[in-house]
Every structure is written in C-alpha cells, then in structure tokens.
Amino acid sequence: MRAHTGVAWALVVALGSALGSSACAQPLFDFTDVSAEAGVDVFHEWGESPFLVFLSAGGAAADFDRDGWVDIFVLGGGGAPDSLFINNRDGTFTDHAAEWGIEISQHSFGASAADYDGDGWIDIFVTSYGPGDQSPVPMSHKLYRNNGPNAEGQCTFTDTASSAGVQMLLSENFINGTGSGWGDIDLDGDLDLSVSAYNHNRAGNRVYLNNGDGTFTDSTAQLGLEFNQVQGFVPAWVDFNGDRYPEYMLIGDTGSSRFYTNNGPDEMGLLSFTEIEEVGDAFNNAMGFAAGDVNNDGLLDMYVSGSYYPFLDGPGNQLMVQQPDGSPDGSFVDVATEPGVLNGGWAWGVLIVDLDHDGLSDILSTNGFNQSWVGEQTYLWKNMGGLVFEEDAIPSGLEHRFQGRGAISLDYDNDGDMDIAIFASSGPFSLYRNNLVSPGQPTPPDANWIRVDLDTSARDSLAPAGIGSLVTAVTAQGSYIDSVDAATSHCSSGQVGAHFGLAGSLTIDALRVRWNDGSFTTLVDVPANQILLVEAPFSPADFDGDGSLSMSDAIAFITAFSDASLTADQNGDWILDFLDVLRFIEDYNTGS
C-alpha cells in the first residue's frame, strides 16, 4: 500500500509541475526538500473510518531526548503508525517510536508537545479516536508522559491521559477533538491544556487547568469559556496586550472563531475572560493561526488561514495587524488585501517567521481540500517592508502540492536559520532545509541571527521552557520582539523559543526577556550568530547567578547600576532610575 501511495503522489507532483510554476530570475529564499535524505519520508494514511480524517495531519517538533537538537513526532493517520524521529545531529533522523513505546496506528487528528509535569522532559498530547483498524471510539486521547532515559539510556513514554483526566471531551460517549494548545493561563508556573472540537451542537472545546500534580481539571465552565456552536480547529494562547496573561484565540470554521481577553484574577483570585467580538467575528472559514510582529512596531499581529474562492476573490487568509490605539484589549485591522497574502488557496497551517534574516517576518500558508483536488502549491511570501509581501515559494525550492494541513518551523540542523516542515493529509511528510546558513560555514554578512532558548528550571513560578515570556532584541538597525508561546499550528506545534533575523547587525545592544511572572533579565552586547540559552535565576535578585542571595548580589547590582548598564533594569522600562533600586530591594527581601 505504501509503495502504491508513493507512486500516486509522485504522479501528483509531476502533474503539479506540469501545471506550471512562476519563474523568477533571483529566488527570494533558498530551500531544499530533504525528506528522503534526512530519513523522514513517511506517509500519512487514512484508517478504516472517514471521521474528520481529511481535515487532519500533524505532529510536533521538540527536543524529546534533551541533547540540544530538535526531534519530530509525525502522526500516521490511522492507516500507518506514528513516527518519532530522533535527530542524529548530522542532518538525518532515526525513527525510535517503537523503542520509545509510541509506534501505534490510531485515528489521530493532531498533536502538540509541552512539558506538562515540569520535569524537564517534553511530553506529547494527541487527539485520537482509537485504533486505526476499527471504527472510532470515545475516551481515546493520548497524553504521552516522557519518562526520560531508562537504565539502558533509552527514553520511553507512558500514556497518562486517563489518570491525568484528559482522555475525553465532555462525556464517555462523545467522539471528538481536533487541535490542542498549551499555555500558563493562570501564571502559576505550570502549563494548562486546551483542546478544540469540530462540533457546533455541543460545547466540545475544553480548557483544562493543570493541578500541579500530574492531573488536570476541566475548568471550561468555571472560566466562563463554555463554548457552543464553535467548530474548533486551533486553540492558541498568546499574550497580545502585554499584561502577561495570555489571550485565548479559538480558531473555528464557518465564522465561529472566538477571541477572549484574559483579565487575570479578580479580588477572589478567580480568572475571568472578556470576549472581544469584533476580533472573533472578523474571521470567516478559519483553519490555522500564527502570531508574530510583521511590521516591527512592538505589537503582536496574527495571520489566520481561510478558504479562497477565485470567483469571489476571497474571503481567503487574513493578516490582522494590531493597532497602537492604547486600548487595553488592543484592536486589529485586516490588511491582507493590501500586501497580497489573501490568496493562500484552501488554507490550513500558517506561519510567521523570518526566513531570510533581514529583520522582517515572512509568511507561509499551506493548503488543500480533498483527494479529488490536487496541484495547488503551498505559498511563501517574503516581507518586503511596509506591509508589502511578494510570493516566491516555487522558485525558492519550496514546492509542495499535497494536501497540506499542519505547518511548523524548526531549526533541525542547528545552523540558525529556520527550516519548514509540512504535514499532508493522505500524503507525505515533507521537511525543507533552509539553505540561507550552512552548518559549519560563516553566516552571510547580511543574514545575521540569534536563536534564544529559555531555561526556567530554577524558578517554580515560571512555566517550562519560558512559555509565556516575551523576548526583545535591540540592535543598531532596529528593535524586534518574539513571543515564546507553544508554537501552536493546525494539528501541530513547532519548535519553542525565540528567533530573530538581524540583517547586518553582528551585535545585539540589548536582549531582554520579560518572564511571565513580571521579572526581567537583560543582557547587553550579545554577539549574533549563536544559539543562546538564557537561564532564569531562582530569584530576580540573584544578580550574580550563583543560586543564592547574598551581599555579592547587591554589589553586582550596584556596580551595574553605577556603570549605567541595562542589566540593572529590574523593572523592564529601559530606564535606569531609583525604581530599579526599589525593585531590587523588594526582590531581595522577598527572595523571589
């Protein structure tokens, strides 16, 4: 069956190429399909039931074995087993799903990765409807707990969905579940889970608060998020208004999307949310979501995929640019018709990421509708500045004409530029290497970069991997922000962390992390072209980073403050004044 499928898809590629592609004298990007070369050329195959199957295909990218190299989990779809590709650190991967205990064939819709129990090992959640060789059954969602290495050094997973309380939605006879997303909703230092459902007759979209003991509580109703008539695809948590409490963007089909501002705790300590109807109601047939700052104004924008009908010239994808209007909830304006990112086909997974390191975030949209419709490309737009974009996927080597669903970015070869992975429904998994920077070779002079990973293991008040943090990089050429969220995409999740293209800048004047507990870490004169690990100290007052509070911290702070170093900017306002001194004293006295 797999050989036959491979031949069929080869014919599809040939057909797509025969239909023609745009010509460009000088490609704007440079990508190579390395799926076969890297050893990840597996196929998504439908199982015995058609239940939601053509809407799905996904996986997750994360460093599952903690060796500093990102790995890839790929869902098989029911007709093929799931794969767990561990990075060999030489440009290739080896599938260890069988050895790690997760090589099963299941009616899977999507997957996401996060460290839900805070033990430092990345876990996996799968929306699943049971074995792929039988009809769908309820109570089948998987939460694979990463146990870390055993005595033989082999990592293993254990399905804890039942004991954690997340194996089902609503009831024991409700079969549903599409996307999933993670975020520290209540800022208590552990990651909460949201799961969406494609069902407009029941309130299937659920929010589970992490109890901190390996279990979750369905808190949807308590939080005022008991949705009805939402055909959910993507539940994403991103702090759009800068108050550290992440907003809830629930992407839904047929105009059913919802956008909720997180108000934080009230006087009783209970979270509440306010629906911003003008944002949620703006979306049409929404399937995918990405967040990023496309115009470098210091505000996060969003790109949402939809269905484009040529005879209507729309509605298509939407690029929602946040407006600097001073509103605590912010406001967004759809500018997709102006920059030309409206037509992404029948779009699903989307990305906002700087692929050429010019300091401007580019946009990707993958698409496809059903098996009788083939041949339309994935689209890739270069950000030309001024909210103008130019499409250049095929000339740049990113030719994907399958039924694209999930789309993620990752730096699989640790060379600093972001690569692309696309999950196709009833089609091949595709990995595209970004050739902007080559491993072991000098970085081009106009394509400098930095990748920032966050380590929060020393402080319980911070979510694992710094999810919920905001990273700012200031150079002589500009200021850039990147939200460290769960990298949620349609059916999938990408590599977590911050990434910046720095154009011609070899040095970052100031790099600041706003942790999600309201504290700050600021580094100065940071060299470009490196993967930088920023560790949160156990206390914001641990200024010398030795893991304890003593007079040496006070001396180190006073020295930095006297030298007018922004490393002493304790309150994160980019100004050194007496307020920083007061904040340091407060942090020192509280020890937190």
Side-chain angles (χ1 to χ4, degrees):
M1 178 177 181
R2 186 164 297 206
H4 172 76
T5 305
V7 171
W9 278 115
L11 292 175
V12 170
V13 174
L15 173 62
S17 298
L19 292 175
S21 61
S22 60
C24 182
Q26 181 61 47
L28 301 177
F29 306 100
D30 184 7
F31 283 91
T32 300
D33 185 343
V34 295
S35 308
E37 172 188 327
V40 296
D41 51 340
V42 293
F43 279 76
H44 179 274
E45 299 177 11
W46 297 352
E48 294 299 318
S49 169
F51 182 69
L52 297 181
V53 66
F54 81 92
L55 306 175
S56 66
D63 183 6
F64 295 111
D65 59 355
R66 290 177 53 175
D67 67 348
W69 295 72
V70 68
D71 312 301
I72 310 172
F73 175 67
V74 182
L75 293 171
D82 300 337
S83 301
L84 180 62
F85 292 108
I86 300 302
N87 200 321
N88 296 322
R89 296 175 286 183
D90 60 1
T92 69
F93 295 80
T94 299
D95 186 359
H96 284 283
E99 296 95 322
W100 287 34
I102 54 176
E103 187 190 41
I104 64 173
S105 296
Q106 58 182 321
H107 285 299
S108 54
F109 191 96
S112 59
D115 179 11
Y116 83 91
D117 54 0
D119 65 353
W121 297 91
I122 305 297
D123 314 297
I124 302 172
F125 182 80
V126 179
T127 43
S128 174
Y129 318 128
D133 59 355
Q134 64 185 54
S135 297
V137 294
M139 301 179 64
S140 296
H141 297 324
K142 304 287 191 296
L143 179 59
Y144 294 124
R145 182 183 184 274
N146 189 338
N147 303 312
N150 56 23
E152 290 74 37
Q154 179 69 55
C155 291
T156 61
F157 282 95
T158 300
D159 181 12
T160 61
S162 179
S163 61
V166 294
Q167 83 279 23
M168 67 178 183
L169 299 180
L170 286 179
S171 66
E172 295 182 1
N173 60 0
F174 182 61
I175 305 173
N176 214 310
T178 52
S180 57
W182 299 87
D184 188 359
I185 302 168
D186 47 8
L187 302 191
D188 64 351
D190 49 34
L191 292 173
D192 309 297
L193 171 67
S194 54
V195 184
S196 55
Y198 194 81
N199 188 303
H200 61 83
N201 294 320
R202 302 184 69 180
N205 303 279
R206 314 307 295 174
V207 179
Y208 299 93
L209 288 182
N210 194 326
N211 297 320
D213 59 1
T215 68
F216 294 81
T217 297
D218 185 342
S219 304
T220 315
Q222 171 193 329
L223 296 171
L225 301 175
E226 190 81 78
F227 302 115
N228 287 291
Q229 299 181 343
V230 177
Q231 294 177 267
F233 276 130
V234 182
W237 296 91
V238 178
D239 176 20
F240 280 101
N241 61 15
D243 68 352
R244 298 182 288 113
Y245 286 89
E247 276 60 64
Y248 190 25
M249 182 73 250
L250 178 60
I251 293 297
D253 201 358
T254 63
S256 63
S257 296
R258 298 287 184 269
F259 182 84
Y260 282 77
T261 294
N262 188 336
N263 301 317
D266 59 18
E267 60 275 6
M268 302 296 293
L270 301 176
L271 285 181
S272 66
F273 291 81
T274 299
E275 182 177 3
I276 310 299
E277 294 184 3
E278 57 268 28
V279 177
D281 291 348
F283 300 114
N284 301 298
N285 299 328
M287 277 86 82
F289 166 88
D293 183 4
V294 297
N295 56 352
N296 287 345
D297 65 349
L299 299 172
L300 290 174
D301 314 304
M302 64 178 88
Y303 189 53
V304 176
S305 61
S307 308
Y308 179 83
Y309 304 99
F311 60 91
L312 295 175
D313 191 25
N317 294 352
Q318 294 170 272
L319 180 58
M320 305 290 286
V321 174
Q322 188 171 176
Q323 302 300 296
D325 57 6
S327 167
D329 300 320
S331 61
F332 296 83
V333 173
D334 181 12
V335 300
T337 57
E338 295 300 324
V341 294
L342 173 72
N343 181 5
W346 198 291
W348 301 88
V350 289
L351 293 173
I352 296 177
V353 56
D354 187 354
L355 295 170
D356 57 1
H357 291 176
D358 64 351
L360 296 168
S361 293
D362 310 298
I363 291 177
L364 177 142
S365 175
T366 193
N367 75 87
F369 179 57
N370 58 46
Q371 290 306 105
S372 64
W373 183 96
V374 296
E376 185 162 6
Q377 67 176 82
T378 286
Y379 294 91
L380 176 61
W381 290 276
K382 174 178 168 55
N383 190 337
M384 310 300 291
L387 292 177
V388 174
F389 292 78
E390 183 175 339
E391 205 286 318
D392 199 57
I394 294 175
S396 297
L398 204 153
E399 183 167 2
H400 186 275
R401 296 182 182 274
F402 306 106
Q403 297 293 305
R405 296 296 183 265
I408 61 174
S409 62
L410 70 166
D411 182 8
Y412 84 91
D413 49 5
N414 275 356
D415 63 357
D417 55 27
M418 299 306 289
D419 311 298
I420 300 296
I422 300 176
F423 305 87
S425 182
S426 189
F429 171 71
S430 300
L431 178 63
Y432 295 92
R433 182 183 66 216
N434 188 341
N435 300 314
L436 178 67
V437 182
S438 298
Q441 299 299 314
T443 298
D446 58 348
N448 297 295
W449 57 275
I450 192 165
R451 223 186 76 202
V452 182
D453 295 331
L454 303 180
D455 181 354
T456 58
S457 58
R459 199 186 311 174
D460 291 340
S461 62
L462 301 178
I467 289 178
S469 303
L470 183 73
V471 182
T472 303
V474 179
T475 74
Q477 294 182 263
S479 178
Y480 316 100
I481 65 169
D482 198 4
S483 170
V484 180
D485 50 55
T488 305
S489 180
H490 182 89
C491 297
S492 51
S493 66
Q495 186 172 5
V496 171
H499 168 265
F500 300 100
L502 302 173
S505 297
L506 287 169
T507 301
I508 299 174
D509 298 330
L511 187 141
R512 188 183 75 180
V513 180
R514 185 215 66 189
W515 305 102
N516 66 351
D517 66 354
S519 64
F520 297 86
T521 294
T522 304
L523 308 176
V524 297
D525 298 329
V526 179
N529 306 321
Q530 63 167 315
I531 300 172
L532 177 68
L533 179 66
V534 179
E535 299 176 288
F538 89 98
S539 164
D542 183 16
F543 210 75
D544 61 5
D546 66 354
S548 64
L549 294 182
S550 65
M551 185 56 65
S552 65
D553 296 299
I555 294 173
F557 172 77
I558 293 171
T559 300
F561 188 88
S562 300
D563 292 341
S565 171
L566 278 175
T567 59
D569 179 19
Q570 290 291 97
N571 64 357
D573 63 358
W574 300 102
I575 300 171
L576 294 181
D577 55 22
F578 192 62
L579 294 178
D580 296 300
V581 177
L582 293 178
R583 179 68 175 268
F584 175 82
I585 294 173
E586 177 184 356
D587 291 336
Y588 188 91
N589 288 335
T590 60
S592 62

